[in-house]
């Protein structure tokens, strides 16, 4: 398979996601799920995603749609459209699948995926993570990864704005 075809195949929507999940479950592989906007991908994101991938066999990344990002982050965001953000995430070897969600939280997506492990950054307490109850009810794990100091999209944007003045 060509590289571009492989990248495109990692970006999945409803039916293709369901088929992929069925194959993964049949092979009894451990599904790890995380989510975010990933508007400007930085070291903190990469480290967090790599750590998440190590917690199972398949890493599924739920990606906020452009509309969802605007509701959460404001009208000037996202800086990159959802297709570009998905394509960049899919280029990471340790990301198995990227799928979109349009809601403000990934609760419906987590309910559909039923991950074995739910991962978020260290700026959350496990009990505060959306989907905690779903994953714990099925005997799964909810884990937070260490937050990388100095690595945040907001901080990067602030530095860019300061340099332009």
């Amino acid at each position: 398979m060509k590289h571009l075809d492989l990248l495109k195949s990692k970006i999945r929507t409803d039916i293709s996601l369901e088929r992929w999940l069925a194959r993964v479950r049949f092979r009894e592989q451990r599904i790890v799920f995380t989510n975010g906007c990933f508007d400007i991908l930085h070291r903190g994101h990469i480290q967090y995603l790599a750590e998440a991938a190590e917690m199972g066999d398949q890493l599924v990344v739920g990606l906020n749609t452009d509309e969802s990002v605007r509701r959460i982050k404001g009208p000037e965001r996202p800086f990159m459209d959802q297709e570009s953000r998905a394509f960049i995430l899919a280029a990471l070897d340790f990301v198995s699948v990227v799928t979109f969600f349009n809601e403000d939280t990934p609760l419906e997506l987590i309910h559909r995926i039923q991950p074995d492990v739910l991962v978020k950054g260290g700026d959350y307490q496990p009990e505060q993570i959306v989907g905690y109850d779903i994953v714990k009810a099925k005997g799964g794990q909810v884990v937070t990864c260490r937050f990388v100091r100095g690595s945040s999209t907001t901080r990067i944007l602030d530095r860019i704005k300061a340099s332009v003045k």
Side-chain angles (χ1 to χ4, degrees), residues 3-70:
H3 294 294
L4 288 177
D5 291 338
L6 176 60
L7 289 179
K8 290 175 187 175
S9 76
K10 290 170 73 172
I11 301 168
R12 299 194 175 255
T13 55
D14 300 327
I15 293 174
S16 72
L17 176 63
E18 296 301 324
R19 289 180 181 150
W20 181 85
L21 287 168
R23 286 192 304 273
V24 169
R25 288 187 186 117
F26 179 77
R27 293 188 301 249
E28 297 181 356
Q29 292 182 316
R30 195 165 155 92
I31 299 170
V32 180
F33 176 85
T34 194
N35 67 281
C37 300
F38 301 103
D39 195 9
I40 296 177
L41 202 61
H42 54 71
R43 180 188 173 164
H45 289 137
I46 300 296
Q47 185 168 324
Y48 150 70
L49 291 168
E51 287 179 26
E54 291 177 6
M55 296 178 200
D57 302 304
Q58 302 288 339
L59 176 61
V60 177
V61 178
L63 185 63
N64 292 77
T65 61
D66 292 345
E67 183 181 327
S68 175
V69 174
R70 276 190 284 282

Side-chain angles (χ1 to χ4, degrees), residues 106-107 110-111 115 118 126 128-137 142:
L107 187 62
I110 292 168
H111 186 70
L118 175 59
Q128 299 170 325
I129 297 172
V130 170
Y132 174 90
D133 53 340
I134 294 169
V135 174
K136 292 303 271 186
V142 179

Side-chain angles (χ1 to χ4, degrees), residues 19 31 77 81 95 106 138 155:
R19 289 180 181 150
I31 299 170
R77 300 277 298 273
D81 63 80
V95 171
K138 67 172 276 196
R155 180 170 274 176

Side-chain angles (χ1 to χ4, degrees), residues 87-120:
F87 200 75
I88 291 167
L89 287 168
L92 300 173
D93 284 343
F94 45 79
V95 171
S96 306
V97 164
V98 179
T99 191
F100 300 105
F101 66 99
N102 195 41
E103 300 76 22
D104 291 350
T105 73
L107 187 62
E108 287 182 37
L109 186 56
I110 292 168
H111 186 70
R112 274 192 17 234
I113 292 172
Q114 292 288 313
D116 301 294
V117 184
L118 175 59
V119 181
K120 282 300 280 181

